[in-house]
Amino acid sequence: MPSQAPISTTHAIIPAAIKSKEPIQRHLKHQHHNDRNGTPINFRRPPPPNDPSLNAPSPTPRTIRQILLARSQPEGAGATVRRSIGTPQLRHLTPFLLLDHASIAPGAGFPDHPHRGQETITYILSGAVDHEDFAGNRGTIYAGDLQFMTAGRGIVHAEMPHEDGTGRGNVGMQLWVDLPRELKDVEPRYRDLRASEIPRVSADEGRVGVKVISGRSYGVDSVRELAYTPVWLLDVTIEAGGKFRQALPAGWNAFAYTLEGTTTFDMGATTQEVARYHNVVFEQEGDQVLAEVPADAKEVARFLLVAGMPLDQPVVQYGPFVLNDASGVRQAIMDYQSFQNGFERAEGWQSEIGRAMV
């Protein structure tokens, strides 16, 4: 079960105990890669070819378990997010830990902060974001690009808006994905996916468009596996009169985050209209997600459909540290404060892009 203790599940805000060395007890109620010891790691494989939901002869629609409005709230240093996972209403949805729809104005951002034990997926919707970490990695992702970051045993980095001189803000999504217990200690890594690399598919006579970021849609596969924990991520657009259907791996948790317009989700016996900025959480039972937009609609609907393999493990989270028990969290804080076990390079390090925020 996830910890119900006060936490700050954010990109940049670090709980005071981490900074001050205050005791924290009161706050806590497959491809092959090698770990830091050189031991081979088994990558979690995607769904088998005979997955019952992906091959169902008469697929049934998934029903809706919960609909959450992502309310706007301040976050980081002057940024604003709409958070729909990582809240009291939906603490976690294994393997997902957090979902933020972030708006970053010039001069705001997420300066230097640590992570351990999770992966983050950042998808830029408009503008651009600069990234820099304590290992010397740095770069910029632009509208339509994604960055997949594995924090593993530990990383310290900064994410700041890319200043292009126009004064425009930057908008993006960030999803935190839990790492399996046996992969929490891997070395950190990055995989960038440029907009030009993402396959696109058109369906229903052009009324439906899908960017296949990760997974499979209408017979089109994504370019490559980008995360250790299997995740499907589709950017779906439906024009007036369009109907979308998407089979999902059996038993995976799934949700749709609505970005634009109004989407009608078809559950078989009933339908549900959902406006923008809501998270639609589906039941695990069923084979596919059905969505449509009425023929007389005046707006195009757009949403992100995300599905992931559940992890059978406890989640204990304290800010940017995600482990499986309280002792692991205490060790992560100690390691970060004392610059050891993955955080050695944090000592004396300060990012160039975050310097203006200090």
Side-chain angles (χ1 to χ4, degrees):
M1 295 292 292
S3 168
Q4 299 300 315
I7 58 175
S8 177
T9 50
T10 164
H11 314 294
I13 296 300
I14 304 171
I18 299 178
K19 290 182 176 180
S20 67
K21 298 182 170 56
E22 170 191 350
I24 66 163
Q25 282 81 353
R26 65 184 180 85
H27 294 285
L28 294 172
K29 298 248 188 231
H30 287 290
Q31 68 201 68
H32 295 288
H33 291 269
N34 294 334
D35 66 14
R36 61 191 178 97
N37 297 315
T39 304
I41 295 168
N42 291 319
F43 190 96
R44 301 254 169 159
R45 296 294 181 182
N50 59 350
D51 181 281
S53 289
L54 300 182
N55 297 278
S58 301
T60 58
R62 290 198 180 201
T63 57
I64 295 174
R65 180 196 309 173
Q66 188 177 13
I67 300 176
L68 301 165
L69 173 62
R71 300 183 184 277
S72 183
Q73 64 184 61
E75 195 62 80
T80 300
V81 303
R82 294 181 179 273
R83 180 167 299 164
S84 55
I85 300 177
T87 70
Q89 291 73 36
L90 184 60
R91 184 68 69 188
H92 303 119
L93 180 69
T94 178
F96 307 115
L97 304 165
L98 176 143
L99 180 69
D100 276 353
H101 182 186
S103 297
I104 313 171
F110 304 100
D112 305 358
H113 60 282
H115 289 275
R116 174 179 280 181
Q118 79 274 58
E119 298 186 282
T120 65
I121 302 173
T122 304
Y123 183 23
I124 305 303
L125 302 178
S126 63
V129 169
D130 293 327
H131 170 271
E132 182 183 352
D133 73 16
F134 68 2
N137 300 301
R138 61 187 305 166
T140 302
I141 51 176
Y142 299 89
D145 295 345
L146 293 97
Q147 181 183 84
F148 292 70
M149 183 192 79
T150 301
R153 62 194 300 250
I155 198 164
V156 179
H157 73 159
E159 300 154 292
M160 303 296 292
H162 180 72
E163 301 292 350
D164 60 4
T166 66
R168 293 177 298 184
N170 305 271
V171 179
M173 305 293 302
Q174 187 166 91
L175 176 68
W176 287 17
V177 184
D178 198 11
L179 276 170
R181 183 193 302 267
E182 65 271 20
L183 299 181
K184 296 260 183 201
D185 202 34
V186 297
E187 292 293 335
R189 66 172 190 171
Y190 299 91
R191 285 82 62 224
D192 286 352
L193 182 65
R194 299 298 177 183
S196 60
E197 299 177 281
I198 300 172
R200 300 177 182 230
V201 61
S202 179
D204 195 13
E205 299 182 342
R207 291 186 290 263
V208 171
V210 184
K211 295 181 183 178
V212 189
I213 295 167
S214 181
R216 181 188 311 150
S217 185
Y218 291 96
V220 175
D221 290 324
S222 59
V223 174
R224 51 187 169 174
E225 292 296 331
L226 294 159
Y228 280 119
T229 301
V231 170
W232 283 21
L233 176 56
L234 308 172
D235 186 341
V236 181
T237 301
I238 308 176
E239 298 179 359
K243 295 184 178 182
F244 166 79
R245 62 180 60 240
Q246 176 65 47
L248 296 175
W252 282 23
N253 280 325
F255 65 88
Y257 181 78
T258 54
L259 288 167
E260 300 174 15
T262 299
T263 305
T264 300
F265 291 95
D266 184 351
M267 295 173 281
T270 61
T271 61
Q272 177 69 56
E273 288 189 352
V274 181
R276 65 179 181 172
Y277 307 148
H278 285 78
N279 192 326
V280 181
V281 180
F282 298 101
E283 297 285 359
Q284 285 184 324
E285 294 76 20
D287 305 305
Q288 63 181 350
V289 169
L290 303 178
E292 60 187 63
V293 172
D296 59 353
K298 297 180 180 179
E299 292 182 293
V300 170
R302 182 185 180 190
F303 59 89
L304 300 181
L305 180 60
V306 185
M309 178 188 294
L311 298 177
D312 184 16
Q313 62 186 32
V315 175
V316 178
Q317 181 174 353
Y318 187 76
F321 301 139
V322 184
L323 286 303
N324 300 122
D325 53 43
S327 64
V329 172
R330 285 192 287 269
Q331 185 64 51
I333 295 174
M334 183 183 303
D335 290 343
Y336 174 62
Q337 292 174 341
S338 57
F339 311 113
Q340 63 183 5
N341 296 327
F343 290 108
E344 291 84 353
R345 289 170 290 189
E347 186 170 12
W349 179 80
Q350 185 178 2
S351 70
E352 292 294 330
I353 63 173
R355 197 176 297 275
M357 302 297 296
V358 178

